[in-house]
Amino acid sequence: MAELDDGLILHLPLTESLQNGSIDKSSHRHEVHVRGRLGVFNVSYAAAWELGRLLGLSAGSFAQSLIRWKHKEKTAILANKAELQVSHIGFARSANSPISADEVPEEISSFLNKLASLELVPLNYLLPEEAMLPIDSIRFFQVDNFWLKCLLEGAFSPGRFLSNDHQHELKLRTAIESVNFPVAGFLMRSEIVSAYPGLMAQGIDKNSVKQSSVMRRLSPHLMLCTFNVEVVQIDLHLAPKALHCGVENNFKKFVRKSNGELSKISKKVNIKNRKIAVKDLSDDLANAAKLLKFDNNGKAGFFALQMIEGVQLMRYKL
């Protein structure tokens, strides 16, 4: 949150929600709130509404599709009302009918989903000050969903030419209500982002259920990751395809137990002319495994289990 020079307060979407309630759909002016204790205006949600409107208008194809869609619905509603008023005369009814709530044009739903996922939100709204995210750092955040709702309401506003036009959009509001908003996530600024393009993030919610993430690289060294549910733990790791065979840096290999866990027993890996004597290493590991009551008979599967190396994992508990 920041206090502007003219005594106004502005906070951005990556924060804890400070506002709940309904949104005035006709104008952003009603989204200006007064912070009672401070006696200043909070223009955060009005700014979100206006930003959404500008982003919607700047995407010409989206704005055109939205205006046509709204005009078609409004025309059908007004035509039906007019026909009901003269229904006693017996005129044939027109083919116009209000749009089904499921008939959301793909271009409109796609744009609104990208907006809600923060993909189209300018970077300075996510990270207003560079000092908030130093080099080689990670910052976790909660998403203010009310801010995002105001953003989408602004994007949905083009096509209202009269003060009561928003009243004809009741069936069209499924385009906004069906959008999934992110709940939490993190920003990472590090060379890791460019060095490991296959980096993955997995969240764990309070019920210990794994949750997938949406990851997007905002720049070569800046990454945004969001989750659609609240998570209590986040694991960062490379893709599973990075599994490989290998040894420790000191050319030792710790023997695995039958359940896959590493034991404290290790064997020296002899390397000569950049080659490993695989047969000798396999025999050494097999003999050491017998001490762990791991009867393996020197099979290829046993050697693969001993040599496999997983990917590095960084775990954050929130």
Side-chain angles (χ1 to χ4, degrees):
M1 180 182 295
E3 184 173 353
L4 306 180
D5 294 338
D6 49 2
L8 303 178
I9 286 180
L10 174 68
H11 76 260
L12 302 177
L14 307 188
T15 180
E16 293 188 4
S17 179
L18 300 177
Q19 175 71 23
N20 292 299
S22 60
I23 303 173
D24 188 288
K25 305 173 183 61
S26 59
S27 172
H28 69 282
R29 296 190 299 271
H30 302 288
E31 297 308 323
V32 177
H33 304 274
V34 179
R35 297 298 297 273
R37 294 183 179 180
L38 300 178
V40 296
F41 289 102
N42 183 351
V43 298
S44 305
Y45 303 113
W49 194 98
E50 185 66 19
L51 174 64
R53 186 180 72 89
L54 294 175
L55 290 175
L57 290 174
S58 65
S61 58
F62 163 78
Q64 293 173 7
S65 298
L66 182 63
I67 292 173
R68 285 195 299 265
W69 191 46
K70 288 185 176 182
H71 179 71
K72 181 179 178 181
E73 171 71 359
K74 179 182 176 181
T75 301
I77 291 176
L78 295 179
N80 285 344
K81 287 183 178 180
E83 290 175 355
L84 289 175
Q85 292 175 356
V86 296
S87 59
H88 60 284
I89 301 178
F91 287 129
R93 296 182 61 84
S94 68
N96 291 327
S97 61
I99 299 173
S100 169
D102 297 329
E103 297 176 359
V104 182
E106 175 63 25
E107 191 168 14
I108 294 177
S109 61
S110 175
F111 180 87
L112 293 178
N113 277 291
K114 288 181 179 180
L115 200 59
S117 67
L118 304 175
E119 180 177 345
L120 301 180
V121 177
L123 179 59
N124 58 327
Y125 278 81
L126 305 178
L127 190 65
E129 293 289 343
E130 184 179 1
M132 298 175 65
L133 189 65
I135 298 176
D136 292 329
S137 66
I138 184 170
R139 295 289 184 267
F140 301 94
F141 58 78
Q142 298 288 325
V143 180
D144 185 347
N145 280 348
F146 191 78
W147 195 97
L148 290 182
K149 289 178 181 178
C150 292
L151 181 74
L152 263 64
E153 286 290 350
F156 200 71
S157 64
R160 297 170 185 164
F161 303 103
L162 300 176
S163 59
N164 64 341
D165 275 355
H166 65 280
Q167 298 175 2
H168 301 130
E169 302 172 0
L170 297 180
K171 288 188 177 180
L172 307 185
R173 299 196 59 75
T174 181
I176 293 179
E177 296 168 356
S178 61
V179 172
N180 292 322
F181 294 102
V183 175
F186 65 84
L187 279 167
M188 175 188 289
R189 184 185 180 191
S190 172
E191 292 184 359
I192 293 177
V193 176
S194 57
Y196 298 96
L199 190 66
M200 302 177 67
Q202 187 175 67
I204 306 294
D205 63 18
K206 60 183 179 181
N207 297 320
S208 300
V209 177
K210 295 180 180 180
Q211 301 293 337
S212 59
S213 63
V214 177
M215 303 182 70
R216 186 164 57 257
R217 283 160 177 78
L218 306 179
S219 73
H221 298 145
L222 184 61
M223 181 174 67
L224 170 68
C225 176
T226 57
F227 298 90
N228 287 339
V229 298
E230 187 174 353
V231 294
V232 297
Q233 176 182 305
I234 296 177
D235 293 338
L236 288 178
H237 58 84
L238 294 177
K241 63 183 180 181
L243 291 173
H244 58 282
C245 292
V247 298
E248 303 297 329
N249 291 335
N250 54 1
F251 300 107
K252 288 185 178 181
K253 191 65 183 177
F254 287 93
V255 182
R256 291 185 185 275
K257 302 177 184 178
S258 57
N259 60 2
E261 295 180 357
L262 290 176
S263 69
K264 295 182 179 180
I265 301 176
S266 64
K267 287 296 180 178
K268 181 71 174 179
V269 179
N270 295 319
I271 300 179
K272 186 176 181 180
N273 297 328
R274 301 177 61 85
K275 296 180 180 180
I276 297 178
V278 175
K279 183 63 171 62
D280 295 341
L281 178 59
S282 178
D283 292 341
D284 290 342
L285 293 174
N287 293 331
K290 292 179 180 179
L291 300 177
L292 302 173
K293 299 181 179 180
F294 188 177
D295 190 7
N296 52 82
N297 296 324
K299 294 182 179 179
F302 163 79
F303 185 68
L305 174 65
Q306 296 297 330
M307 296 301 296
I308 198 74
E309 292 285 341
V311 296
Q312 296 295 323
L313 181 143
M314 181 67 70
R315 175 163 293 170
Y316 297 92
K317 292 185 178 294
L318 309 179

